[in-house]
Amino acid sequence: MNEHTDDISTDETTQRKHAAMIDRLSNLHQARISTKTNSKDPTFESTQSFLTTFTNSKQSIESSLTQIQQIPNQDPNSDLERISNSISDLEKLVAENSYFLPPYEVRSSLKTISDLKQTLDSVTSKVKPRKKFSFKNKPTKKQEPEPKPKPESESEPEHKTSYTINDSPGFRGTENAILTKEFTGSEIREFVLSDLTNCEVKLKGRFRTLFINRVRNCKIYVGPVSGSILIEEAEGCLFVLASHQIRVHEAKLTDFYLQCRSRPIIERSCGVRFGPYRLCYDGIETDLKESNLYEDTGNWANVDDFQWLRAIQSPNWSILPESQRIDMVKI
Amino acid sequence: MGLLSIIRKIKRKEKEMRILMVGLDNSGKTTIVLKINGEDTSVISPTLGFNIKTMTYDKYTLNIWDVGGQKTIRSYWRNYFEQTDGLVWVVDSSDLRRLDDCKFELDNLLKEERLSGASLLVFANKQDIQGALSPNEIAKVLNLDAMDKTRHWRIVGCSAYTGEGLLEGFDWLVQDIASRIYVLD
């Protein structure tokens, strides 16, 4: 730096220095060129030589890819990794030379590289068994029978329908009958009414939960249910029910007289009508009070139709006109 | 990947967990959520749509999505799958007739790729009812042992009515998620 300030005046020194610098630079350049050729540096500045190198590596990669497919190796991992490395070397080669290559060559080389990668991927999936992604839908299903023979099968050897053994209490598969049941105390019980036709059912007293399915032309009178009632497939019936929750699925032309803590719901139903609870038997007041169902919530009229999510009234249900409602039923 | 890692990072800071409650209608999902949050469970209407409940549990914030289980709205469950850390499948252990439905819907749910990383808690609810199946029997009916080995799962018997078993279930779920996501400290 101080040289600079010193030598402004003397042209001679400047020139000398300049010559020295040129000399030094050219030496450096020479040195660089020689190391380049020695270590096969991939900068050629000649499209032709680039293409030759490129094609050679490409062919060698392709041949090792076919080889690995033909000769199944016990441990294909190292080979695959080697190929993958040579592909990325090739990619680097293109990148380093891209500044002088014609755009067409760059594009076609990159295309070749992406093709090679794809081939490598498909070869990899062929040669190596897939591991990580085998947990998708289908294989899981296939594995199902496998872990089934478990040590705990000594009591019930894989009894899939074991739960039908202890069937819930209830009335099932009956026609033209009057069915009565009285619950005493506060039974924490479920009860089932299923496959009934032309029946009259009277359930007195408090109990916990009621399942009703496939009933036709029945009259069903039920005391307070402290849990929920689920009704599926009812046609031409009359229900008098008190419960915390009432769900009605697939009901047709059926009338409901309800006392309900929450909003009753209907789903896939049509022609169903709703009115207030109309039931009495000796001691029903106490039962209703103890089940927290004595207070009239008016919810029997607040029906949610899950298939009619609009502000206007659903065409599937209506409120029973007062003139058409039944009188208090004594059971 | 970028957005996902940012979200993960934010969640880690806030120790938040997203929990999805699903199951057939009438299984008691809403009652479980309200009960565990100490709220009144005597007036619960069948869920039309969903409820979100945010609560603090241990040192974590749980965002519980309680989605209605009626058949007509089950197809919307998939809208809630994204970013779910824990899945709670609620079974009405006294509804023997619909256990096949229950199994079918659960199997479908577990095929969902977006839920593949979520811990699964199965609540065998309504254990207080006399005819209810035990958690072991429910596990057998649902064939839970055949589930993918990578899934973290557990079945717990409970009663949303009495509150029994709810904490046991949530304790497991929260600990399991924490050990996966936050690496317990």
Side-chain angles (χ1 to χ4, degrees):
Chain A
M1 279 198 295
N2 49 357
E3 285 173 45
H4 198 65
T5 39
D6 286 352
D7 298 343
I8 298 166
S9 48
T10 39
D11 271 5
E12 209 187 310
T13 349
T14 321
Q15 269 169 10
R16 198 160 10 97
K17 294 256 161 163
H18 186 70
M21 193 174 74
I22 297 272
D23 199 34
R24 212 163 47 218
L25 283 174
S26 85
N27 277 343
L28 266 173
H29 186 62
Q30 281 304 326
R32 221 181 292 145
I33 284 170
S34 59
T35 48
K36 233 186 238 174
T37 40
N38 284 349
S39 69
K40 286 207 301 190
D41 191 287
T43 321
F44 318 93
E45 303 227 355
S46 142
T47 309
Q48 201 47 56
S49 58
F50 164 80
L51 283 180
T52 323
T53 321
F54 185 86
T55 316
N56 284 343
S57 337
K58 180 193 151 199
Q59 274 162 359
S60 101
I61 290 168
E62 274 171 344
S63 73
S64 23
L65 275 171
T66 39
Q67 203 183 351
I68 205 166
Q69 271 172 289
Q70 281 158 357
I71 310 155
N73 200 333
Q74 285 88 346
D75 177 33
N77 283 358
S78 59
D79 283 344
L80 288 170
E81 201 181 317
R82 190 174 46 76
I83 296 172
S84 156
N85 283 338
S86 10
I87 293 177
S88 42
D89 283 347
L90 200 58
E91 207 173 12
K92 225 183 285 170
L93 180 87
V94 178
E96 278 165 0
N97 294 287
S98 58
Y99 71 95
F100 71 86
L101 288 174
Y104 170 78
E105 301 297 350
V106 176
R107 251 184 294 132
S108 68
S109 323
L110 289 177
K111 173 82 173 66
T112 312
I113 287 167
S114 89
D115 287 349
L116 282 174
K117 280 181 178 166
Q118 243 169 28
T119 325
L120 176 67
D121 278 351
S122 67
V123 169
T124 310
S125 60
K126 240 186 269 172
V127 175
K128 266 207 290 192
R130 286 204 282 152
K131 294 188 291 191
K132 276 282 163 66
F133 290 97
S134 59
F135 62 64
K136 289 227 177 133
N137 314 348
K138 298 268 166 68
T140 329
K141 273 277 166 82
K142 300 253 167 63
Q143 281 166 12
E144 255 174 45
E146 197 182 281
K148 253 192 190 165
K150 286 188 307 149
E152 58 151 322
S153 57
E154 81 250 323
S155 54
E156 292 168 298
E158 204 225 299
H159 227 301
K160 233 208 141 185
T161 49
S162 63
Y163 56 90
T164 51
I165 294 166
N166 56 343
D167 229 341
S168 309
F171 297 129
R172 295 180 171 82
T174 309
E175 286 182 33
N176 309 311
I178 296 180
L179 307 162
T180 311
K181 162 92 183 166
E182 189 156 352
F183 298 92
T184 47
S186 58
E187 283 191 60
I188 309 176
R189 254 282 171 215
E190 79 283 11
F191 201 78
V192 174
L193 303 177
S194 94
D195 302 283
L196 305 178
T197 312
N198 300 321
C199 289
E200 191 171 318
V201 182
K202 299 170 181 178
L203 305 179
K204 284 189 211 178
R206 299 160 56 199
F207 60 109
R208 187 51 198 289
T209 183
L210 177 61
F211 298 106
I212 300 173
N213 74 95
R214 287 194 299 277
V215 287
R216 287 172 63 98
N217 305 322
C218 290
K219 292 191 164 90
I220 296 173
Y221 308 105
V222 182
V225 175
S226 57
S228 61
I229 297 179
L230 179 64
I231 300 168
E232 293 198 321
E233 298 179 55
E235 196 177 339
C237 292
L238 184 147
F239 288 97
V240 183
L241 311 167
S243 179
H244 276 233
Q245 284 190 331
I246 296 171
R247 292 174 170 85
V248 178
H249 300 160
E250 288 154 71
K252 260 190 267 176
L253 306 172
T254 291
D255 289 346
F256 293 88
Y257 295 87
L258 305 180
Q259 171 68 291
C260 192
R261 289 276 291 175
S262 58
R263 302 167 69 92
I265 72 124
I266 61 167
E267 202 178 40
R268 304 186 303 282
S269 300
C270 61
V272 292
R273 303 189 295 175
F274 291 84
Y277 196 55
R278 290 280 168 92
L279 191 71
C280 79
Y281 58 81
D282 289 339
I284 193 171
E285 274 195 24
T286 328
D287 281 349
L288 284 170
K289 276 176 188 160
E290 282 175 2
S291 310
N292 211 353
L293 283 165
Y294 187 67
E295 173 201 352
D296 182 12
T297 57
N299 269 336
W300 59 268
N302 299 326
V303 180
D304 283 327
D305 182 352
F306 272 56
Q307 284 190 309
W308 191 265
L309 309 177
R310 292 183 228 177
I312 54 166
Q313 169 68 32
S314 154
N316 299 322
W317 71 276
S318 60
I319 288 178
L320 270 159
E322 278 192 50
S323 57
Q324 293 178 33
R325 290 179 194 169
I326 53 163
D327 294 327
M328 187 66 86
V329 182
K330 180 133 172 60
I331 57 168
Chain B
M1 204 48 197
L3 183 59
L4 193 67
S5 55
I6 289 169
I7 291 169
R8 287 260 180 240
K9 223 175 263 171
I10 291 169
K11 278 174 114 184
R12 191 170 304 135
K13 205 182 270 170
E14 294 174 357
K15 303 235 182 209
E16 254 185 38
M17 294 176 182
R18 183 180 152 117
I19 290 170
L20 180 65
M21 305 266 305
V22 273
L24 298 194
D25 48 319
N26 197 33
S27 57
K29 298 174 289 297
T30 309
T31 312
I32 287 178
V33 175
L34 294 188
K35 189 78 182 178
I36 207 163
N37 205 28
E39 290 176 52
D40 176 28
T41 57
S42 71
V43 188
I44 296 174
S45 296
T47 307
L48 218 180
F50 64 91
N51 308 308
I52 315 173
K53 188 72 60 183
T54 301
M55 61 179 89
T56 313
Y57 196 98
D58 285 350
K59 44 189 186 300
Y60 305 100
T61 303
L62 307 190
N63 288 320
I64 303 185
W65 294 68
D66 159 31
V67 188
Q70 301 297 325
K71 203 171 196 172
T72 33
I73 56 175
R74 281 178 211 160
S75 53
Y76 298 106
W77 286 353
R78 70 172 88 95
N79 300 339
Y80 303 90
F81 290 164
E82 220 64 64
Q83 292 294 320
T84 295
D85 300 309
L87 191 63
V88 181
W89 180 259
V90 185
V91 184
D92 177 351
S93 314
S94 69
D95 189 355
L96 311 183
R97 193 177 62 85
R98 293 202 302 164
L99 281 172
D100 286 343
D101 276 4
C102 178
K103 176 171 168 39
F104 172 78
E105 295 286 356
L106 177 62
D107 285 348
N108 262 348
L109 198 69
L110 295 179
K111 282 180 199 160
E112 182 56 49
E113 212 163 328
R114 282 172 293 169
L115 295 173
S116 61
S119 309
L120 170 68
L121 169 65
V122 179
F123 263 138
N125 193 21
K126 309 202 184 180
Q127 288 297 314
D128 58 305
I129 294 178
Q130 278 169 33
L133 292 190
S134 70
N136 276 341
E137 289 170 302
I138 295 284
K140 229 180 262 176
V141 173
L142 298 182
N143 206 5
L144 295 179
D145 282 316
M147 223 179 325
D148 198 292
K149 295 286 168 277
T150 55
R151 172 84 62 186
H152 294 206
W153 69 274
R154 173 177 276 199
I155 184 163
V156 174
C158 75
S159 161
Y161 194 74
T162 63
E164 208 185 318
L166 297 183
L167 287 180
E168 186 196 336
F170 270 89
D171 277 345
W172 173 81
L173 184 67
V174 168
Q175 290 307 308
D176 190 73
I177 296 170
S179 59
R180 271 192 303 113
I181 300 185
Y182 303 122
V183 185
L184 278 180
D185 35 21

